[in-house]
């Protein structure tokens, strides 16, 4: 079965008139299944005792333009290594590395459903979902990027204008619209996107009283999985219900980690939440893939972050790191993945190599 991409005028009568599926009005009764999201909110609400708080030493030095203190009066920055940037306590919740499988990343067989998650914003989730997706499509895999972020950056980054589609992930999650009806082709062969708009922000709240609120995406995804080799779910920068939907629908979690200050902050919280989803909603879920992003080879810190992440996550960490390049950050405004925007740039090569590594090569 192949995905049908519907035209604008093919919506069902029911959708056109805004009628809703009767099941949508269902509300949760006391004692409904697992309240994973509730547990997560609780977990999020106790920052004081948080063992994975960023150690002071992870704080970025002041940026000179933003600072009102004359440069001469500011204390000289202490090198990261001397400040004990990567203290063991950051990793109290992180499992010990599993050295048993050697140090090379081991690709899983397709179809693969991967949630690209990290509750921090700006770490390269969307950039990785879009460009890894494009790299995989170039190899010949059929790839679907699901935009679960109300910012819709994966949507626009793949050249889809919000005015050009009528059904989005909001409809899929809140109105039980079929996912296949929301899928749009991109300018790249084999690469599709299920778009998001700002409406999706409302779903975070509107989902709260609905039945099976954590499993909306998983149910919607079932029918399209056979159509794709890779489904990459671009999660928003939070651990709310939308992200829980992404995690509950995936088999694997891909965590982009920015090789920068604060890189490790919050990672323990993410892993705890993955564990919560795994034990309550989706036992297959596993963090399988760590991608180091925005790597600046000129800084010692990037190297230290990369080393520390490898020590703890072993062969889950992809050997190919993504460099920080201006071209990567320019590509989204042209609605193109870097592999199409500037095919021979360092960023394009890095994402292409990453796609080979993650997939094991040929399709
Ligand atoms: P997230 O989805 O985690 O919030 P994004 O992928 O949107 O993060 O990236 C945040 C910002 O950093 C964007 O402006 C993006 O263009 C830029 N960016 C991401 N990866 C790189 C990179 N490797 N080099 C330079 N800029 C990058
Ligand atoms: Mg994003």
């Amino acid at each position: 079965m192949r995905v049908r991409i519907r035209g604008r005028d093919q919506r069902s009568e029911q959708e056109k008139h805004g009628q809703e599926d009767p099941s949508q009005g269902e509300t949760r009764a006391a004692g409904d299944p697992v309240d994973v999201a509730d547990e997560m909110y609780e977990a999020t609400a106790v920052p004081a005792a948080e063992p994975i708080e960023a150690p002071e030493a992870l704080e970025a030095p002041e940026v000179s333009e933003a600072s009102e203190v004359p440069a001469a009066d500011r204390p000289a920055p202490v090198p990261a290594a001397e400040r004990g940037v990567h203290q063991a306590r950051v990793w109290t919740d992180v499992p010990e590395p599993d050295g048993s499988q050697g140090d090379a990343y081991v690709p899983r067989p397709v179809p693969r459903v991967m949630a690209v998650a990290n509750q921090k914003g700006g770490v390269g989730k969307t950039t990785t979902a879009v460009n890894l997706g494009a790299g995989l499509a170039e190899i010949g895999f059929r790839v679907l990027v699901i935009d679960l972020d109300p910012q819709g950056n994966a949507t626009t980054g793949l050249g889809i204008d919000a005015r050009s589609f009528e059904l989005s992930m909001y409809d899929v999650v809140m109105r039980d619209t079929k996912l296949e009806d929301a899928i749009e082709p991109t300018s790249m062969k084999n690469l599709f996107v299920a778009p998001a708009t700002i409406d999706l922000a409302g779903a975070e709240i509107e989902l709260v009283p609905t039945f099976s609120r954590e499993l909306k995406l998983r149910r919607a995804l079932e029918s399209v999985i056979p159509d794709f080799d890779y489904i990459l779910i671009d999660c928003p920068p939070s651990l709310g219900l939308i992200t829980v939907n992404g995690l509950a629908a995936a088999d694997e979690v891909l965590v982009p980690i920015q090789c920068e200050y604060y890189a490790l902050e919050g990672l323990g919280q993410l892993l705890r939440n993955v564990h919560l989803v795994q034990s309550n909603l989706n036992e297959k879920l596993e963090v399988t893939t760590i991608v180091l992003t925005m790597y600046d080879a000129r800084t010692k810190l990037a190297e230290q972050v990369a080393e520390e992440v490898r020590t703890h996550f072993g062969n889950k960490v992809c050997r190919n790191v993504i460099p920080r390049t201006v071209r990567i950050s320019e590509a989204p405004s042209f609605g193109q993945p870097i592999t199409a925007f500037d095919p021979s740039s360092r960023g394009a090569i890095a994402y292409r190599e990453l796609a080979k590594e993650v997939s094991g090569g040929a399709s």
Side-chain angles (χ1 to χ4, degrees):
M1 187 184 90
R2 286 295 177 206
V3 165
R4 286 173 297 117
I5 307 299
R6 293 196 312 178
R8 301 170 66 101
D9 49 359
Q10 287 175 277
R11 291 193 307 153
S12 69
E13 283 308 303
Q14 190 192 40
E15 285 160 353
K16 280 183 191 161
H17 298 298
Q19 287 167 7
E20 298 168 352
D21 188 296
S23 65
Q24 159 191 129
E26 285 175 82
T27 50
R28 295 167 62 81
D32 262 352
V34 262
D35 275 336
V36 171
D38 287 345
E39 280 189 54
M40 287 187 181
Y41 299 144
E42 280 163 26
T44 319
V46 279
E50 198 49 62
I52 38 77
E53 282 273 87
E56 240 176 68
L58 271 179
E59 280 173 22
E62 291 171 49
V63 178
S64 50
E65 312 93 79
S67 171
E68 299 196 348
V69 183
D73 296 348
R74 274 183 273 126
V78 180
E82 286 173 30
R83 288 179 292 155
V85 167
H86 305 300
Q87 290 161 358
R89 67 196 171 100
V90 179
W91 295 101
T92 44
D93 289 357
V94 178
E96 279 304 305
D98 175 6
S100 58
Q101 304 164 47
D103 50 12
Y105 178 84
V106 184
R108 290 194 173 183
V110 294
R112 296 173 78 178
V113 182
M114 308 175 89
V116 182
N118 185 332
Q119 76 272 32
K120 287 175 67 177
V123 298
K125 288 182 291 296
T126 302
T127 306
T128 298
V130 165
N131 294 307
L132 172 62
L136 291 165
E138 236 182 49
I139 298 175
F141 292 104
R142 273 177 72 86
V143 181
L144 172 63
V145 173
I146 295 183
D147 194 347
L148 267 199
D149 188 341
Q151 301 286 326
N153 292 341
T155 303
T156 49
L158 283 166
I160 307 297
D161 186 316
R163 287 163 299 190
S164 70
F165 57 88
E166 294 191 3
L167 296 172
S168 70
M169 287 310 297
Y170 176 84
D171 300 287
V172 173
V173 170
M174 292 309 305
R175 299 203 172 118
D176 295 327
T177 295
K178 284 189 177 156
L179 178 54
E180 46 265 56
D181 294 341
I183 293 174
E184 300 281 331
T186 70
S187 57
M188 286 195 64
K189 193 180 164 211
N190 294 328
L191 184 60
F192 298 81
V193 62
T197 60
I198 194 69
D199 297 351
L200 195 57
E204 192 72 73
I205 295 155
E206 290 167 44
L207 268 174
V208 171
T210 62
F211 182 72
S212 290
R213 58 188 184 172
E214 294 97 348
L215 300 175
K216 297 281 185 191
L217 179 61
R218 175 145 134 198
R219 299 209 166 126
L221 207 57
E222 275 162 13
S223 62
V224 307
I225 290 177
D227 292 325
F228 293 97
D229 301 306
Y230 281 86
I231 296 177
L232 303 175
I233 305 170
D234 184 26
C235 294
S238 72
L239 291 170
L241 264 174
I242 294 180
T243 296
V244 171
N245 264 269
L247 295 175
D251 299 325
E252 304 178 50
V253 188
L254 183 160
V255 186
I257 296 182
Q258 186 185 357
C259 297
E260 273 289 356
Y261 297 104
Y262 298 120
L264 316 177
E265 183 193 29
L267 215 51
Q269 174 90 57
L270 174 67
L271 297 177
R272 266 201 302 283
N273 287 355
V274 168
H275 184 69
L276 265 176
V277 171
Q278 185 199 49
S279 35
N280 292 291
L281 296 168
N282 178 10
E283 62 176 21
K284 291 183 297 186
L285 189 68
E286 204 186 314
V287 174
T288 59
T289 310
I290 310 266
V291 176
L292 296 167
T293 62
M294 296 183 229
Y295 187 89
D296 185 344
R298 293 166 305 180
T299 70
K300 190 95 187 124
L301 182 66
E303 197 185 305
Q304 285 171 345
V305 170
E307 221 177 274
E308 191 74 5
V309 171
R310 286 187 199 287
T311 304
H312 288 275
F313 288 96
N315 65 353
K316 294 180 198 294
V317 187
C318 293
R319 191 174 45 80
N320 288 286
V321 298
I322 305 303
R324 177 184 284 283
T325 78
V326 172
R327 299 301 268 169
I328 289 180
S329 62
E330 287 172 344
S333 51
F334 293 85
Q336 286 184 321
I338 185 68
T339 46
F341 176 62
D342 190 350
S344 56
S345 63
R346 276 196 307 143
I349 293 166
Y351 271 110
R352 238 180 249 127
E353 290 300 315
L354 180 70
K356 279 191 216 157
E357 182 178 7
V358 167
S359 65
S363 74

